[in-house]
């Protein structure tokens, strides 16, 4: 382990209300001091962070990293490299792998691959039901012991309400976190675009907002009844923000996240059938987007994620409705977040806490802050760097991004994971 | 063209000079594009004798009718139009199952390009498929959309506009048009609404039950009517759409009988329209479902005129798109 000093950066940590230009010292993989170095400390490496922002490494609540199932296409090693190049040091991995992460053996495999790569903290999310089929409960306790931080159905709804009730009851018994995407099993099942002006005009099969709010109401009512700790993943509608706000106001301990692309794009971006704009949940109306932004500001939505889904070239090389939904999002999460700050949609504090200590606290992990004693997961960001996002230069195997050629200001300079430099600028 | 704020779709069907290179949709076109097509069609038909004028403008050119969805009628009228222009015609009915993977769909195109195709006339079951083809063909190859999913069927809408113009005159600004039936799933209706708006039609009504109407008609420049009597009142043109059996199996309608009872065009209901109103249908007709036989065969029906005019309009579209090749030939 090398001792590192990050010199004269602007340390920015919403968890500790820290915003100060000073040094940060790292040893044995942990942050050991801020400001003055301890008496016996000698840095073997000094990183000059003058003029840069030093923030906790980002925590992404929804990603897909290819393993197991798509090893021929990409690996945890490659995707975590992509993550740290975008300042993300902790990643929740959705259970819709192949095979599904519904036993501790699959959880263990994911953990082993992540340990071998040693690039980022990979947090498996287990399947709530076996095979995500919504029929039988998976061995949640055993998977939790193996490292699953939460349980989810990914994109698969549980059709049988009794089974969903039981799954929540069982998770509540063991105080396990459940992360659910509100999706109705039937309404909008064959849809590919938001039910609105664009789907009407282009004749695309649509997904009404009620496909989300119906499912959300069911999840909220069952959470209330069972007492399960519920987190709502990737909400997309204005009405859902209201419903979650109401539930929170009544004291229900529910949290929610939103995918960063739903804070930027709307149904209008689908207008020329660009398959890179095909996502699930769909890009919705401008009113929905604005309500999601307001929901982040108000704290109703406490986390912003990439919902990273690397896809093979052929998956998008199809007419829009036939293309596979999803965005390769790890490398655009932070630049898109900083764009919202520059556009005065969010303050820097609101943006950073939604990808650091808020997701950490809802997962219950000791990350996402610059606290002395915490693991040294750190992103050093050059807020002034202007650059063009280019899908041909992505580290991720998936080049499926709608943000190709978007101009960004603000770029990750260096990323540290547990006190080691895992990403640094290429030598010119 | 739908009046959305901030919508700026790059129009891949126009070349740098603003001329049609492909015809994928009528959205984004200017009124002069429409008028040029309709005017040119006049040269391909004698509307008194219904005689088509064959002109070998495309001698030596190869047109491939690439149908991923079966349609004998549309394919046949395209074939007649293409042959009347002197083109070599190849018909390909491609089973969609063989093209589940993107690469093989593109491979189909690349292979046909390699066989020196100059134009693809494409029909596909998915909305946006024609755009997909246009994005991937070689620069010298033209794409003509013969219907993609629920999205667009521009030549059908153009021949409908030609038919209306023939019977009602070139000024559409006083016309009320009712489109009756399954608007939601209809590419024909979407293109009709666009062409009627481009020609500044006074009023476009969409008539049907809520299960078959689009969610946001106003964004398309039309008004919805769920009451058939109100929808037909004083209109100059009644366009009926074909009702697919699928709408019963997908629980959007209880039965054909009940649809006919509530929305079928009968002689009785037609009396609500203007006395000289014309009745149109893109075919093939389901007699006794969307339209009564006595109306379909009656004096106000122009359904067979549509078919004949369709040949001239398709000749006009094809000749227009391939104009540069025509003049250089």
């Amino acid at each position: 382990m090398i001792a590192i000093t990050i010199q004269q950066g602007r340390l920015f940590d919403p968890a500790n209300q820290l915003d100060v230009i000073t040094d940060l010292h790292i040893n044995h993989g942990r942050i050991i001091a801020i400001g003055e170095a301890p008496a016996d400390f000698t840095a073997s490496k000094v990183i000059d962070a003058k003029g840069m922002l030093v923030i906790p490494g980002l925590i992404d609540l929804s990603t897909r990293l290819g393993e197991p199932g798509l090893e021929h296409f990409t690996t945890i090693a490659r995707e975590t490299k992509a993550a740290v190049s975008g300042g993300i040091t902790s990643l929740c991995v959705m259970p819709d792998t192949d095979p599904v992460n519904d036993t501790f053996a699959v959880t263990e495999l994911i953990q082993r691959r992540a340990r071998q790569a040693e690039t980022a903290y990979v947090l498996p999310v287990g399947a709530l039901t076996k095979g995500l089929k919504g029929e039988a409960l998976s061995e949640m306790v055993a998977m939790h012991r193996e490292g699953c931080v939460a349980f989810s159905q990914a994109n698969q709804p549980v059709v049988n309400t009794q089974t969903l009730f039981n799954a929540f009851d069982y998770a509540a018994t063991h105080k396990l976190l459940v992360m659910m995407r509100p999706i109705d099993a039937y309404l909008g099942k064959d849809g590919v675009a938001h039910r609105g002006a664009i789907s009407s005009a282009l004749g695309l099969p649509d997904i009404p907002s009620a496909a989300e709010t119906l499912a959300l109401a069911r999840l909220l009512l069952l959470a209330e009844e069972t007492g399960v700790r519920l987190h709502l993943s990737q909400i997309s509608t204005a009405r859902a923000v209201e419903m979650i706000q109401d539930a929170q106001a009544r004291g229900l301990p529910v949290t929610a996240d939103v995918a960063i692309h739903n804070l930027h794009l709307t149904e209008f971006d689908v207008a020329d059938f660009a398959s890179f704009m095909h996502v699930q949940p769909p890009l919705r109306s401008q009113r929905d987007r604005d309500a999601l932004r307001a929901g982040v500001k108000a704290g109703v939505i406490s986390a912003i994620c990439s919902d990273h889904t690397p896809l093979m070239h052929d998956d998008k090389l199809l007419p829009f409705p036939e293309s596979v939904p999803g965005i390769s999002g790890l490398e655009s999460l932070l630049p898109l977040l900083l764009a919202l700050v520059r556009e005065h949609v969010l303050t820097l504090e609101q943006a950073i806490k939604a990808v650091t200590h808020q997701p950490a606290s809802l997962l219950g992990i000791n990350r996402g802050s610059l606290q002395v004693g915490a693991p040294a997961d750190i992103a050093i960001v050059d807020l002034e760097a202007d650059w063009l996002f280019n899908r041909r230069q992505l580290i991720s195997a998936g080049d499926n991004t709608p943000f190709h050629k978007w101009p960004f200001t603000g770029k990750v300079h260096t990323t540290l994971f547990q006190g080691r430099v895992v990403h640094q600028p290429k030598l010119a | 063209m739908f009046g959305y704020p901030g919508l700026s779709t790059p129009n891949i069907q126009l070349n740098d000079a603003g001329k049609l290179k492909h015809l994928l949709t009528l959205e984004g076109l200017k009124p002069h594009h429409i008028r040029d097509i309709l005017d040119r069609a006049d040269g391909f038909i004698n509307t008194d004798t219904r005689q088509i004028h064959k002109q070998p403008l495309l001698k030596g050119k190869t047109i491939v009718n690439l149908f991923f969805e079966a349609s004998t009628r549309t394919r046949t009228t395209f074939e007649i139009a293409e042959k009347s222009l002197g083109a070599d015609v190849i018909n390909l009915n491609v089973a969609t199952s063989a093209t589940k993977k993107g690469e093989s769909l593109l491979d189909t195109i690349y292979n046909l390009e390699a066989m020196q195709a100059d134009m693809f006339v494409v029909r596909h079951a998915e909305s946006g498929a024609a755009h997909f083809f246009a994005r991937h063909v070689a620069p010298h190859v033209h794409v003509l959309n013969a219907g993609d999913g629920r999205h667009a069927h521009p030549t059908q809408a153009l021949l409908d506009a030609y038919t209306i113009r023939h019977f009602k005159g070139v000024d559409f600004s006083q016309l009320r048009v009712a489109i009756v039936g399954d608007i939601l799933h209809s590419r024909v209706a979407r293109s009709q609404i666009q062409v009627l708006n481009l020609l500044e039609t006074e009023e476009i009504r969409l008539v049907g039950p809520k299960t078959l109407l689009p969610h946001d008609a106003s964004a398309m420049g039309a008004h919805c009517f769920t009451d058939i009597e109100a929808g037909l009142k004083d209109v100059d043109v009644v366009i009926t759409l074909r009702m697919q059996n699928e709408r019963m199996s997908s629980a959007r309608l209880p039965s054909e009988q009940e649809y006919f009872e509530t929305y079928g065009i009968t002689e009785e209901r037609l009396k609500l329209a203007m006395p000289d109103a014309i009745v149109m249908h893109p075919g093939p007709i389901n007699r006794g479902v969307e339209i009564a036989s006595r109306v379909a065969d009656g004096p106000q029906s122009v359904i067979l005129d549509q078919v004949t005019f369709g040949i001239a309009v398709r000749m006009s579209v094809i000749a227009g798109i391939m104009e540069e090749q025509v003049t250089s030939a």
Side-chain angles (χ1 to χ4, degrees):
Chain A
M1 283 292 168
I2 50 171
I4 297 177
T5 292
I6 299 173
Q7 220 165 40
Q8 291 302 302
R10 176 182 169 196
L11 309 190
F12 191 86
D13 176 19
N16 293 297
Q17 273 129 37
L18 187 71
D19 185 2
V20 62
I21 295 173
T22 188
D23 297 346
L24 181 146
H25 311 280
I26 296 163
N27 207 356
H28 299 292
R30 290 183 182 273
I31 297 169
I32 57 156
I34 284 172
E36 202 120 325
D40 55 346
F41 179 80
T42 323
S44 54
K45 182 179 172 74
V46 173
I47 300 171
D48 179 9
K50 206 169 290 167
M52 295 203 219
L53 190 72
V54 178
I55 54 175
L58 273 54
I59 298 166
D60 193 337
L61 288 181
S62 180
T63 68
R64 289 163 181 84
L65 306 181
E67 286 183 273
L70 290 175
E71 293 84 353
H72 58 284
F73 171 55
T74 192
T75 58
I76 286 175
R78 178 165 179 180
E79 297 304 311
T80 50
K81 274 200 191 79
V84 294
S85 79
I88 300 164
T89 52
S90 297
L91 307 88
C92 290
V93 185
M94 285 298 118
D96 50 354
T97 46
D98 181 16
V100 168
N101 182 14
D102 61 359
T103 70
F104 66 89
V106 177
T107 307
E108 197 276 329
L109 172 84
I110 294 169
Q111 298 276 48
R112 181 149 35 88
R113 292 276 191 254
R115 272 198 308 275
Q116 284 162 356
E118 238 190 324
T119 310
Y121 189 32
V122 171
L123 303 152
V125 174
L128 188 68
T129 60
K130 283 189 183 138
L132 298 170
K133 286 186 180 141
E135 291 161 6
L137 304 188
S138 57
E139 291 178 326
M140 292 183 229
V141 172
M143 293 168 75
H144 178 62
R145 200 179 295 133
E146 198 61 47
C148 283
V149 281
F151 294 87
S152 167
Q153 280 290 116
N155 289 329
Q156 302 300 316
V158 176
V159 178
N160 185 323
T161 311
Q162 182 69 59
T163 306
L164 184 59
F165 186 99
N166 296 350
F168 278 14
D169 235 2
Y170 188 79
T173 306
H174 299 285
K175 300 189 170 53
L176 301 171
L177 173 66
V178 168
M179 298 172 107
M180 297 292 282
R181 243 191 206 189
I183 304 175
D184 189 79
Y186 300 103
L187 188 62
K189 186 163 80 77
D190 301 321
V192 295
H194 172 61
R195 176 176 163 87
I198 292 293
S199 66
S200 294
L202 296 189
L204 288 170
D206 61 26
I207 306 173
S209 296
E212 176 165 300
T213 49
L214 270 175
L216 176 61
R218 181 172 179 251
L219 293 169
L220 288 172
L221 291 168
L222 291 181
E224 192 167 344
E225 185 90 19
T226 59
V228 76
R229 189 35 204 101
L230 172 66
H231 174 79
L232 298 154
S233 302
Q234 293 99 56
I235 62 164
S236 67
T237 64
R239 192 75 183 85
V241 178
E242 279 176 23
M243 291 167 72
I244 293 166
Q245 188 162 27
D246 287 350
Q248 289 170 341
R250 286 207 326 281
L252 203 65
V254 289
T255 51
D257 71 61
V258 61
I260 185 74
H261 45 261
N262 285 91
L263 295 177
H264 276 275
L265 306 172
T266 67
E267 56 178 333
F268 294 104
D269 292 297
V270 171
D272 69 342
F273 296 107
S275 61
F276 284 145
M277 296 289 175
H278 186 190
V279 287
Q280 204 192 22
L283 302 174
R284 296 204 182 264
S285 70
Q286 201 159 325
R287 198 179 70 84
D288 289 308
R289 185 194 66 178
D290 293 346
L292 292 168
R293 289 173 164 191
V296 174
K297 264 184 119 62
V300 177
I301 299 168
S302 55
I304 300 171
C305 68
S306 70
D307 199 31
H308 176 67
T309 309
L311 295 173
M312 284 178 279
H313 202 59
D314 289 2
D315 292 338
K316 287 290 189 188
L317 209 53
L318 287 163
F320 187 94
E322 290 182 337
S323 66
V324 180
I327 287 175
S328 177
L330 292 172
E331 292 157 84
S332 49
L333 175 61
L334 185 60
L336 287 168
L337 207 52
L338 294 174
L340 292 177
V341 175
R342 290 187 86 86
E343 291 162 24
H344 304 290
V345 173
L346 299 177
T347 64
L348 185 63
E349 189 195 348
Q350 287 163 345
I352 299 303
K353 73 182 180 186
V355 287
T356 56
H357 94 89
Q358 285 181 169
S361 81
L362 76 87
L363 290 171
I365 58 171
N366 177 29
R367 308 257 164 169
S369 87
L370 297 179
Q371 182 95 38
V372 170
D377 294 357
I378 292 170
I380 303 173
V381 184
D382 181 352
L383 283 181
E384 305 304 321
D386 292 320
W387 59 301
L388 269 190
F389 196 73
N390 189 333
R391 71 184 171 95
R392 291 182 193 89
Q393 288 165 11
L394 295 182
I395 295 170
S396 168
D399 67 356
N400 48 305
T401 173
F403 303 110
H404 182 54
K405 292 193 175 161
W406 275 39
F408 287 132
T409 302
K411 193 175 199 249
V412 173
H413 181 271
T414 301
T415 306
L416 290 91
F417 170 59
Q418 298 184 158
R420 282 182 309 108
V421 172
V422 285
H423 171 77
Q424 58 191 345
K426 282 190 201 107
L427 293 174
Chain B
M1 262 296 121
F2 306 119
Y4 309 142
L7 175 63
S8 59
T9 306
N11 209 326
I12 56 170
Q13 56 187 350
L14 300 179
N15 66 16
D16 294 339
K19 297 190 115 181
L20 273 179
K21 179 175 188 264
H22 309 293
L23 182 62
L24 312 175
T25 170
L26 302 177
E27 195 246 306
L29 298 191
K30 300 274 187 288
H32 73 81
H33 289 122
I34 306 298
R35 283 193 212 102
D36 286 351
I37 291 167
L38 302 187
D39 292 346
R40 198 186 305 111
D42 281 337
F44 292 118
I45 187 168
N46 180 331
T47 48
D48 296 330
T49 62
R50 301 293 192 264
Q51 192 69 43
I52 294 289
H53 304 312
K54 296 187 181 184
Q55 292 181 36
L57 299 170
L58 299 181
K59 215 166 169 38
K61 300 294 171 190
T62 303
I63 300 178
V64 178
N65 294 324
L66 190 54
F67 278 56
F68 293 89
E69 200 183 59
S71 162
T72 320
R73 288 171 69 103
T74 304
R75 209 209 59 214
T76 307
T77 56
F78 268 108
E79 195 175 337
I80 293 169
E82 291 151 1
K83 286 182 172 164
S84 300
L85 289 167
D88 296 324
V89 178
I90 297 164
N91 289 314
L92 269 180
N93 294 319
V94 189
T96 13
S97 59
T99 57
K100 274 271 143 57
K101 277 274 170 208
E103 286 293 24
S104 56
L105 189 64
L106 284 183
D107 280 343
T108 309
I109 303 175
Y110 295 155
N111 273 293
L112 292 165
E113 276 178 8
M115 296 173 207
Q116 313 290 311
D118 297 292
M119 176 185 263
F120 292 117
V121 174
V122 182
R123 169 167 287 197
H124 195 280
E126 298 290 353
S127 303
H131 278 73
F132 176 78
F133 288 109
R135 275 199 195 103
H136 291 98
V137 291
H140 67 276
V141 176
H142 306 275
V143 176
L144 207 173
N145 186 3
D148 62 331
R150 310 174 185 179
H151 171 234
H153 194 351
T155 58
Q156 176 69 43
L158 287 165
L159 76 87
D160 293 336
Y162 188 85
T163 307
I164 296 172
R165 192 167 94 155
H166 176 78
F167 288 101
K168 296 287 167 193
V170 290
D171 182 11
F172 280 45
S173 69
Q174 307 294 316
L175 292 182
R176 293 198 177 88
V177 180
I179 306 173
V180 185
D182 182 5
I183 319 289
L184 179 65
H185 299 91
S186 176
R187 52 189 170 218
V188 172
R190 282 188 178 75
S191 288
Q192 284 167 341
I193 294 165
Q194 285 162 357
V195 80
L196 291 170
N197 273 318
L198 281 165
L199 297 174
E200 293 171 342
T201 306
E202 161 82 8
E203 193 186 353
I204 304 163
R205 302 176 182 178
L206 311 180
V207 188
K210 290 185 81 173
T211 47
L212 300 178
L213 288 174
H215 172 66
D216 195 349
S218 64
M220 300 160 72
H223 305 283
C224 285
F225 285 74
T226 51
D227 180 337
I228 180 78
E229 276 81 24
L232 292 180
K233 184 99 182 81
D234 297 335
V235 297
D236 302 286
V237 179
V238 179
I239 300 175
T240 51
L241 298 173
R242 181 176 162 80
M243 184 54 59
Q244 313 277 357
N245 288 331
E246 202 190 325
R247 305 306 160 228
M248 318 309 150
S249 58
S250 61
R252 288 183 187 267
L253 282 182
S255 68
E256 293 180 339
Q257 292 76 4
E258 185 157 312
Y259 178 74
F260 184 68
E261 206 174 285
T262 47
Y263 292 98
I265 304 298
T266 58
E267 286 183 300
E268 191 77 347
R269 284 186 175 134
L270 190 56
K271 286 181 187 145
L272 294 163
M274 298 301 278
D276 60 347
I278 54 170
V279 176
M280 298 168 56
H281 192 297
I285 300 172
N286 291 309
R287 290 166 184 266
V289 180
E290 63 263 3
I291 190 164
S293 275
R294 294 176 71 98
V295 175
D297 305 331
Q300 286 168 273
S301 168
V302 298
I303 295 169
L304 292 176
D305 297 303
Q306 287 175 269
V307 178
T308 314
F309 294 164
I311 297 167
V313 170
R314 286 182 171 121
M315 286 172 74
S316 169
V317 169
I318 294 166
I321 288 175
M322 297 183 78
E323 196 176 25
E324 280 166 40
Q325 305 200 11
V326 171
T327 48
S328 67

